[in-house]
Amino acid sequence: MDRKRFEKQLAFILEADKEKNIYRQTHLSGNGRRENDAEHAWHMAMMIYLLKEYANDKFDVTKAMMMALIHDIVEIDAGDTYAYDTKGAETQKEREKCAADRIYGLLPDDQCNELRALFEEFEAGETAEARFVKTMDNLQPLLLNNSNNGADWREHNVSKSKVFARHRNSRLGSEDIWKYTEELINENVKKGNIKDE
């Protein structure tokens, strides 16, 4: 065993545990407490495996699941930026880049480069894996919001145009899931959970 390498890996593993303390705006199904980033990532990884048949393109499922598991680790430093927070979005990229430098930098160089590349690939959204992971990143909170009768959308007075803008790229990962997404958004507009313009 390379003890120095092992200690770097353990340092990252313990740092990643802090993701459990980053709470999102989305609540757990059934009007539970707010979910944390680790729960969100775990849920996405499960969804990627279970819903892979609906992807537009064939993709590496293991790679996509790992991408989901690490995509929000940067929020340990950068904090969660709510999907509809336009002010927070202005500084999000820079905050997340600094966080990625520090957090992935805890790992041995080869693993740092590997996970950092996965994070960058997710951010770019150009590969089949990244497109499907982004679709799951959008679908997961949508499902939770719907299960809570739109409580999170109503709390933040979110408009139909903002929800559609947020989800418009989901079709790049899955046309089938995009169609379902459209139906769910329109249903919630009719129910008054999402503000119509």
Side-chain angles (χ1 to χ4, degrees):
M1 174 190 285
D2 179 339
R3 188 67 183 228
K4 188 174 180 185
R5 177 180 175 83
F6 183 62
E7 287 173 358
K8 285 183 174 186
Q9 291 165 327
L10 292 181
F12 178 84
I13 288 166
L14 285 174
E15 190 67 18
D17 185 65
K18 294 178 182 175
E19 197 175 5
K20 297 172 187 172
N21 293 313
I22 308 301
Y23 286 88
R24 298 164 47 83
Q25 293 298 314
T26 308
H27 287 75
L28 302 176
S29 59
N31 296 308
R33 63 164 168 77
R34 286 168 49 201
E35 74 170 344
N36 66 48
D37 271 357
E39 292 164 331
H40 167 64
W42 158 81
H43 211 190
M44 281 175 59
M46 180 184 289
M47 290 167 63
I48 287 164
Y49 183 81
L50 294 173
L51 303 178
K52 62 185 181 274
E53 66 196 83
Y54 305 109
N56 292 342
D57 304 299
K58 290 204 176 293
F59 67 97
D60 181 331
V61 174
T62 303
K63 179 181 178 184
M65 290 173 75
M66 190 62 193
M67 190 181 285
L69 290 171
I70 61 97
H71 83 287
D72 274 345
I73 281 178
V74 293
E75 293 184 1
I76 291 166
D77 288 358
D80 176 59
T81 303
Y82 181 51
Y84 306 106
D85 176 5
T86 50
K87 181 125 176 88
E90 292 172 10
T91 61
Q92 182 178 5
K93 293 283 184 208
E94 184 56 34
R95 286 183 285 120
E96 290 185 354
K97 183 201 173 302
C98 292
D101 290 343
R102 184 189 76 76
I103 297 167
Y104 294 123
L106 296 171
L107 284 163
D109 288 346
D110 62 319
Q111 290 182 324
C112 169
N113 293 338
E114 180 186 357
L115 293 193
R116 182 66 184 263
L118 269 182
F119 171 72
E120 300 294 344
E121 183 178 333
F122 169 77
E123 288 294 305
E126 295 171 355
T127 63
E129 291 81 11
R131 288 191 299 268
F132 196 68
V133 174
K134 283 185 173 284
T135 299
M136 296 300 100
D137 196 24
N138 287 337
L139 179 63
Q140 192 266 350
L142 183 84
L143 293 174
L144 293 182
N145 278 330
N146 183 62
S147 81
N148 291 324
N149 197 30
D152 296 317
W153 289 312
R154 284 186 279 110
E155 179 185 341
H156 295 282
N157 201 27
V158 179
S159 67
K160 177 181 174 180
S161 61
K162 284 187 176 180
V163 177
F164 271 113
R166 170 77 180 171
H167 290 270
R168 72 178 178 267
N169 287 333
S170 290
R171 69 178 354 132
L172 301 176
S174 171
E175 284 289 342
D176 290 334
I177 290 173
W178 166 246
K179 287 174 191 160
Y180 178 76
T181 296
E182 282 185 302
E183 290 171 20
L184 217 52
I185 294 169
N186 286 323
E187 281 175 26
N188 278 280
V189 170
K190 284 179 191 165
K191 290 178 185 174
N193 295 332
I194 297 172
K195 187 173 66 175
D196 203 354
E197 291 105 340

